[in-house]
Amino acid sequence: QVQLVESGGGLVQPGGSLRLSCAASGSFNSIPSMGWYRQAPGSSKRELVALIGRRGSTEYGDSVKGRFTVSRDNDKNTVALQMSSLNNEDTAVYLCNALVMTIGGTENIWGRGTQVTVSS
């Protein structure tokens, strides 16, 4: 069973920076894609933040382009999100996501999430 565990959330002032990390564990062959989504307070929608492929190709949500940077370490099966110039609209639960190839096929895995609160 594959698990994703996030870390690094917290409270930050507007204009500040924060770094999130996520580690994958369990039995799998490869992870073609890893990244982050977020769910704002009171919303059931998961918004794309950033995704990164195994070879480094990236995709960002429009609202974070130029402010957030996603990276991954294939050897450690981790993905990180460096967030800067944070504003109140970035307040959300940030969920790690991974598309994982296992013996049984492809699985779309979610972490439990880490809270990011931007407030003065």
Side-chain angles (χ1 to χ4, degrees):
Q1 188 173 1
V2 181
Q3 289 187 324
L4 300 174
V5 178
E6 303 100 334
S7 61
L11 174 65
V12 61
Q13 292 186 341
S17 299
L18 203 61
R19 182 178 177 88
L20 306 181
S21 297
C22 172
S25 63
S27 180
F28 50 85
N29 295 330
S30 66
I31 306 177
S33 175
M34 296 185 81
W36 300 87
Y37 287 75
R38 68 187 183 186
Q39 193 164 343
S43 173
S44 60
K45 178 183 176 182
R46 289 179 177 177
E47 175 192 6
L48 169 67
V49 178
L51 295 174
I52 183 167
R54 184 169 178 79
R55 296 184 179 181
S57 60
T58 57
E59 179 182 0
Y60 291 93
D62 289 340
S63 61
V64 308
K65 286 179 181 177
R67 300 188 298 122
F68 292 10
T69 302
V70 64
S71 61
R72 66 184 284 176
D73 185 327
N74 291 332
D75 291 334
K76 296 180 179 179
N77 297 313
T78 59
V79 62
L81 184 69
Q82 181 65 46
M83 305 183 291
S84 60
S85 301
L86 286 160
N87 57 58
N88 293 342
E89 286 69 40
D90 295 317
T91 294
V93 174
Y94 284 70
L95 300 126
C96 184
N97 173 260
L99 190 65
V100 178
M101 302 296 291
T102 68
I103 294 177
T106 303
E107 297 183 28
N108 192 30
I109 306 296
W110 293 92
R112 291 187 174 185
T114 185
Q115 176 70 46
V116 172
T117 301
V118 184
S119 175
S120 55

